[in-house]
Amino acid sequence: MDTYESVLLVKPEVFVFNIPPRTSNRSYRAADWNLAEPSWTGRMRLVSKGSELSIKLEDKNSGELFAKCPIDTYPGIALESVSDSSRYFVIRIQDDNGRNAFIGLGFGDRSDSFDLNVALQDHFKWLKKEKQISEEPSGPKLDLQFKEGETIKINMKITKKDGSETSNKMKARPGTTSGLLPPPPSGSTRLPAPPGCSPAGSPAHVPKPDLIGGESWGEFASAQSSAPPATSPAANNSNWVQF
């Protein structure tokens, strides 16, 4: 898979200086440069591509590459701080043919140089962590697959609204064998008499025995036979003319 280029830091204005060659082992000093007249002014980008890291100096408007500084370690020879200022560095630029040169790099504000230091430290910390992870021995992998014929048993509990729990197996109540209600208890206990009963316990609305027999039906029939026949309106009114 192709590795994409990632931009870690961008500074819109940096200054490049021509520096004299080092004559001794002492560190560089920005005071030895002509700080009032930088040889080039442009944009700086700190980019990474996988484990590779480099500083690219580009034109502000066109983006044309002016110089490139590959950084393999930090701190290291590719980027070195000066002894008399925190805003200036000496970087080692490199062309496509592998030729190297040392130039001075400066920032207008101290916070810009601080951002560069932090970005460089974060990148190499990340590389160190990635290397440690890759070198750690991998332990044996756990085989969590079921063997052939292997089963598991799950005891599920269902919580009711009142907070009680029941298992997935219904338990029968003791003393019952079916879903029918048990018969009422036997005994001599009598239910209370309904209202309207006599003190002896017999209902007050029970008819007398002599009205239950067939004589009551005979009286009803005789009452119907003794009733006078209904007369028509024509018989009562003499003004009606019969046809």
Side-chain angles (χ1 to χ4, degrees):
M1 184 180 66
D2 295 337
T3 304
Y4 296 95
E5 186 179 81
S6 177
V7 179
L8 304 182
L9 183 67
V10 176
K11 292 301 177 180
E13 186 176 55
V14 294
F15 308 101
V16 172
F17 303 92
N18 292 323
I19 61 175
R22 178 183 290 183
T23 58
S24 63
N25 292 331
R26 69 181 182 89
S27 59
Y28 289 99
R29 289 171 47 87
D32 298 336
W33 310 342
N34 188 6
L35 300 179
E37 298 180 1
S39 59
W40 182 86
T41 302
R43 178 181 66 187
M44 187 209 75
R45 289 197 308 146
L46 181 65
V47 298
S48 66
K49 189 175 182 180
S51 60
E52 298 178 0
L53 181 69
S54 60
I55 292 177
K56 291 185 178 182
L57 303 178
E58 302 169 341
D59 186 85
K60 292 181 180 180
N61 300 320
S62 63
E64 182 181 0
L65 182 64
F66 170 75
K68 180 179 178 180
C69 172
I71 303 175
D72 49 359
T73 57
Y74 181 78
I77 193 175
L79 189 143
E80 184 179 350
S81 301
V82 298
S83 60
D84 58 344
S85 176
S86 61
R87 296 188 295 115
Y88 297 94
F89 302 87
V90 175
I91 64 174
R92 183 186 61 183
I93 59 176
Q94 189 177 63
D95 60 7
D96 296 336
N97 298 325
R99 292 177 299 181
N100 299 327
F102 291 90
I103 60 175
L105 177 68
F107 297 93
D109 193 271
R110 188 171 285 104
S111 62
D112 294 335
S113 60
F114 176 79
D115 294 341
L116 177 62
N117 281 317
V118 172
L120 291 170
Q121 292 173 6
D122 290 344
H123 174 77
F124 286 101
K125 285 181 180 179
W126 174 79
L127 287 181
K128 184 178 179 181
K129 186 176 181 180
E130 288 291 320
K131 184 178 179 181
Q132 291 176 352
I133 294 175
S134 62
E135 291 178 353
E136 288 180 357
S138 58
K141 296 182 179 180
L142 297 177
D143 186 9
L144 302 178
Q145 296 181 353
F146 286 102
K147 305 298 186 295
E148 184 177 357
E150 184 179 2
T151 59
I152 61 174
K153 183 179 180 181
I154 300 176
N155 185 16
M156 298 179 61
K157 291 185 178 182
I158 303 175
T159 304
K160 296 182 178 180
K161 292 183 179 179
D162 57 357
S164 60
E165 294 182 352
T166 57
S167 62
N168 55 348
K169 295 182 179 180
M170 297 185 63
K171 299 180 180 180
R173 296 181 179 180
T176 59
T177 57
S178 64
L180 300 178
L181 295 175
S186 61
S188 60
T189 305
R190 300 179 62 184
L191 297 175
C197 293
S198 61
S202 60
H205 62 276
V206 177
K208 295 180 180 181
D210 57 347
L211 297 180
I212 301 177
E215 296 179 357
S216 61
W217 287 100
E219 293 177 1
F220 179 77
S222 61
Q224 287 183 343
S225 61
S226 62
T231 60
S232 62
N236 295 334
N237 192 351
S238 59
N239 294 331
W240 287 88
V241 180
Q242 297 183 358
F243 293 93

